[in-house]
Amino acid sequence: MSRKNNESLKPWSHRQRPFVQMLITLLAGAASAGIGTLAHRMGASMNIPYGLVIAFLILVISTWCARSRMGAVGIGAHLIASSTMAWGIAICGVNGSALTPVGFSGEVPFFSQNVGYIWLYGLVVVQVVMLFLPRSWFTMPARKEYTVASRHTSRA
């Protein structure tokens, strides 16, 4: 069995031109923030913020892909798109309702009161931290193409 590296075996988004890679990164940043904004409040009213964990997991995976695809520029573009989406949703509620409510008065569980702040500030902090992690953690090696070497055996 022999192996050969082949650039065409890299993920689709890694093989695109820089303009398309940037577009993919921006869309992924906006999508991860949109989905995270919808998910981050799950469980907060019971002080079990599993939705916040899911939201940050989605964000980390999307940010990892952005840095793997485009390096520090990718994280910057992803940070701009995700922050714009999450903060835009938080500020521009529909008919006075908010998907990211912050600041409560009265007795409410800790996470119910603070999960909005944790999400909005945490999505920026997580991506900035990922910018300073070692570059080797974000490599996307080409997959190996395996070929089976045929063996010819002769019978004596």
Side-chain angles (χ1 to χ4, degrees), residues 47-138:
N47 255 353
I48 307 170
Y50 63 89
L52 187 64
V53 173
I54 292 169
F56 278 128
L57 184 61
I58 291 168
L59 183 76
V60 165
I61 291 169
S62 184
T63 306
W64 184 91
C65 291
R67 180 156 180 204
S68 172
R69 186 172 34 253
M70 297 186 68
V73 171
I75 284 193
H78 193 275
L79 176 62
I80 290 168
S82 61
S83 297
T84 301
M85 176 64 90
W87 284 88
I89 291 172
I91 293 170
C92 302
V94 178
N95 295 330
S97 63
L99 289 175
T100 315
V102 291
F104 291 90
S105 60
E107 288 296 316
V108 293
F110 173 81
F111 281 108
S112 189
Q113 187 173 13
N114 297 303
V115 74
Y117 288 123
I118 295 169
W119 170 241
L120 290 174
Y121 293 116
L123 74 95
V124 174
V125 170
V126 164
Q127 293 178 82
V128 169
V129 166
M130 289 182 75
L131 179 63
F132 293 104
L133 294 176
R135 184 181 305 168
S136 62
W137 292 6
F138 299 92

